[in-house]
Amino acid sequence: MSKSPTLPQPQSAADMPALLAIPRRSTFPIQWTPALVKYINSAYDEDGNLYSADAQALDNLRQQAITSPSLETLFTYYSQLTFVCSRFPLNIGLEFAWLTAFQPTQPPVVHPNLFFEKSCILFSIGAVYSQLGCTEQRLSSDSIRKACSYFQQAAGCFKYIQREIVPDMRVVPMCDVSPAVLGTLIHLMLAQAQECVWQKAVMEHLKHGTIARLAIKVADFYESVLREMPSCIPEDWQTYTRIKASYFVAVAQYHKANECISQGRYGEEIGRLRVAEKANRCALDLIISSFQLIQHGVMHAGFVNEVRQLEEVIEHDLIRAEKDNDIVYVETVPEEAQLSPILRSDMVKPIIPPDLLEPAYWKKHPEVEIRRPLFQALVPFAVHQAASMYKDKKDQAVAEITASCAKLSEEATQLMEEFNLPFSMDVMDVTILPVNLMSCAEEVQHEGGIQSLKDMLEKIQELSKKNVDFIEEGFNVLEDENEQDEILQRQYGSLWARPSSKSLTGPLLSQGARFHDTIQAAQKADRIVRAKVTNWGKAIELLSRPVSEIKANLPFTKDDPHYPQLEVLVNQLRDAVEKIQTAKHEHNKISQDAETLSASDDISEPLLVKADALTGGSPIIKMEPEQFGDVFEAQLAKYAPLNTKLQMCVKDHAENLTHLRDLYEQFSLVAQGSHLAVKREKTVKNLEQAFLKFKEIRTNLVEGIKFYSQYTDTLSKFRDSCTDYAFARRMEASELARSGASPADSLFPFSRCSLLIQGRTKETVKMT
């Protein structure tokens, strides 16, 4: 057997497989100071100017981070930003504008969100880690370890964004920090970290099986990148990833084939070499079709040579293996699907940098300028959140109390409305008038009683007659003029050639006919209202009398044999109703006491004490509002006495309603058996209905008076139009008679009459 050629070892950085560095994101300058000072003034009830120095320091740190991005400047700003996020809500009214890493020519994404700013800074930290990994020479074991660590920490940054920041951002994440892109970047960084481990194994000449297991895991990571890669990732990167995935499948299968030789599995060796050849050919084809990757610097020419050399090695080994197997071993060559999967050696994972887990950069790096957290004197935002959460719990407790009180009162009100109380018992009490009937009588008397209706009816009748007279006067004038015109036509014969009155008065007659129809309709409505007054007059007249007379005109139940029993039940019902009304007042008092207690309930001091106990004075320990649960319970205990009172009211309420229901059933049976009681109740209801009719009739009459008053002006103008027309025609006739001339010789009088009719008609129509 001929000896297989070995794969060449990289001798310089140019021979290293190309790795991808994540581009940093760009942003625009903003001013923290005015936004923070304004928010502190408005939301925290403190003087924001006391914190202007801290705000200005934060502005300086951001400027350094975006103009001179390094791990030191970025982590320094990120640590302070993390502390600021613990003191303020997500939205303080300051907008942050960032360009995306992969589409920097697109318009910036803008959000007024602190976590958005935090995610963008952390993305830049991850990008710097990836760039540090790519700049390592990787020609020594130590350099490879550094590069591998940088890539894992870059993956850790993106994992931290995905797990800790995006879920709390509460805005739609931009492309760079979407779940798909973050997942892609995490797998890409892990693929390159695993590639470093594989490279170190090759450099140290580890066993073929070990190298195969490391290489196949590299291929797995690159294939994961391809599965999740969104469209915003550059197309060159997608091609690069496909090449790397195919290449490392070929490398893994090649080394696994070499392991098969040592284990005497010659048929499997050939099968794996064929798979390696196929995968490597795929990588070469992609390189040939995408030569611009070398031009764009995405892939080194040295790596392309490495792929070509692997092709030569695989081809040489495959020829040798097939020849040996045909002559010596004669083993069956398995198909690709029959080959057992290569075991994976996963040697990398996302490593979250310590400065993210404990963002107090000033503690571990004393050389930084600011060695304390900014805005340390402000109350933590978690305390504000806890106060808000307690307010919700307190409001819920008060709402439950007030809702229960309202429910009790509503149930009592519904039962009394169902039994029509106190009306039902007031009707049977001969010593009083029902309250509702009393108010009805007072309102009727205040509006003038039945006499006011009669006066308005008389007023309407006068106005109606006046309007009818206007119409008739107009018609009479037109009729007289028409008769005079006919006489003159007969007198002068053919010499009298002016237009006849009938040809000119058509518009006025039509208009008058419409006015007449309107008045007829109004008079019909008047008759309906008059009929209502006739039908309900007696009842309305009774409501117009003093209370003593109204009581005297109601059927007298004392003459009824059931009266003694009714009197007892009425008194008992009155006591039961009064007891329920007293209970309703008690319900209202409990509700008011709960609201008063809530208004004076301040939990600020207990929350601050608890916050100190949780953090031990440390400004970086994260607090959640749920950690203040014991403080909430202690504060809410003050509402327990009100709940106790409420429970007693609930018990008494049920007894009161049951007692009232029993009494009313007895009362109803006795009242229904009394002829006079039924008659008395019917009379009272009839009077209440009469009150409604009184209001209805009065409204109708007021509208009628208003209508006739306004229509009077319209009809007066109509009558004047008719009078003016007749006068003009008489003047015209006199002039023609004196001159003996035909109107055809003098058109002015005719034109004047025609225009006069048209003008008057239009004016009257407009008035109508």
Side-chain angles (χ1 to χ4, degrees), residues 117-404:
E117 170 82 351
K118 191 175 177 182
S119 70
C120 294
I121 293 297
L122 186 48
F123 187 96
S124 294
I125 293 174
V128 170
Y129 271 122
S130 74
Q131 292 163 9
L132 290 173
C134 290
T135 56
E136 284 292 331
Q137 297 295 314
R138 292 182 287 128
L139 293 175
S140 64
S141 296
D142 185 59
S143 179
I144 292 174
R145 274 195 300 270
K146 285 184 179 179
C148 181
S149 175
Y150 286 141
F151 288 131
Q152 290 181 89
Q153 290 186 86
C157 291
F158 299 130
K159 187 72 174 179
Y160 193 82
I161 296 174
Q162 185 184 61
R163 187 183 68 191
E164 301 293 338
I165 297 181
V166 171
D168 295 332
M169 196 181 297
R170 300 177 190 172
V171 296
V172 177
M174 61 190 300
C175 172
D176 292 356
V177 292
S178 65
V181 172
L182 289 174
T184 296
L185 298 182
I186 291 169
H187 284 113
L188 178 60
M189 293 298 101
L190 292 179
Q192 297 186 157
Q194 181 80 7
E195 188 173 340
C196 290
V197 176
W198 163 82
Q199 184 183 347
K200 184 173 179 292
V202 172
M203 183 180 295
E204 295 176 353
H205 302 287
L206 297 185
K207 293 180 180 180
H208 288 295
T210 301
I211 296 175
R213 289 193 294 273
L214 293 172
I216 198 66
K217 187 60 185 177
V218 176
D220 287 348
F221 278 127
Y222 280 120
E223 287 173 356
S224 296
V225 173
L226 287 172
R227 283 196 298 271
E228 298 183 6
M229 185 173 287
S231 59
C232 63
I233 300 296
E235 187 176 350
D236 286 354
W237 284 34
Q238 298 180 33
T239 305
Y240 164 90
T241 305
R242 291 191 183 94
I243 293 172
K244 279 295 189 77
S246 299
Y247 172 72
F248 277 101
V249 169
V251 170
Q253 293 292 349
Y254 170 76
H255 282 280
K256 190 66 175 177
N258 277 271
E259 184 186 51
C260 290
I261 298 176
S262 63
Q263 296 175 353
R265 301 196 303 272
Y266 304 106
E268 183 180 343
E269 176 199 6
I270 297 172
R272 292 193 182 276
L273 286 172
R274 289 175 178 173
V275 175
E277 181 183 41
K278 176 182 176 182
N280 200 63
R281 171 47 55 187
C282 179
L284 275 174
D285 290 343
L286 287 170
I287 291 173
I288 293 170
S289 62
S290 305
F291 194 71
Q292 72 273 11
L293 293 179
I294 299 176
Q295 295 176 329
H296 295 170
V298 178
M299 188 165 291
H300 295 166
F303 173 70
V304 176
N305 293 332
E306 189 174 327
V307 178
R308 294 188 185 279
Q309 290 171 2
L310 178 60
E311 181 185 37
E312 294 174 2
V313 171
I314 293 173
E315 183 180 359
H316 178 276
D317 282 7
L318 184 57
I319 293 173
R320 184 264 310 156
E322 289 176 342
K323 180 179 179 181
D324 290 347
N325 189 58
D326 291 342
I327 298 173
V328 181
Y329 307 114
V330 196
E331 288 188 7
T332 303
V333 178
E335 297 293 333
E336 181 178 353
Q338 295 173 317
L339 294 172
S340 59
I342 301 175
L343 297 178
R344 270 69 172 164
S345 290
D346 189 353
M347 304 300 292
V348 296
K349 63 180 180 180
I351 297 176
I352 299 175
D355 289 323
L356 294 188
L357 297 175
E358 188 179 354
Y361 196 75
W362 57 85
K363 284 188 174 182
K364 291 172 280 185
H365 302 273
E367 71 277 5
V368 299
E369 181 180 354
I370 302 174
R371 301 188 60 192
R372 64 175 179 84
L374 301 175
F375 304 98
Q376 189 174 9
L378 274 179
V379 174
F381 183 61
V383 174
H384 289 281
Q385 288 181 305
S388 177
M389 182 179 292
Y390 174 73
K391 183 179 182 302
D392 292 341
K393 291 179 178 292
K394 176 186 68 175
D395 291 346
Q396 182 179 357
V398 173
E400 289 175 355
I401 293 174
T402 55
S404 297

Side-chain angles (χ1 to χ4, degrees), residues 22-28 97-109 123 174-176 231-234 237:
I22 309 300
R24 294 190 304 271
R25 299 171 62 175
S26 300
T27 184
F28 300 90
W98 285 82
L99 298 172
T100 63
F102 300 107
Q103 297 174 322
T105 59
Q106 296 294 320
V109 179
F123 187 96
M174 61 190 300
C175 172
D176 292 356
S231 59
C232 63
I233 300 296
W237 284 34

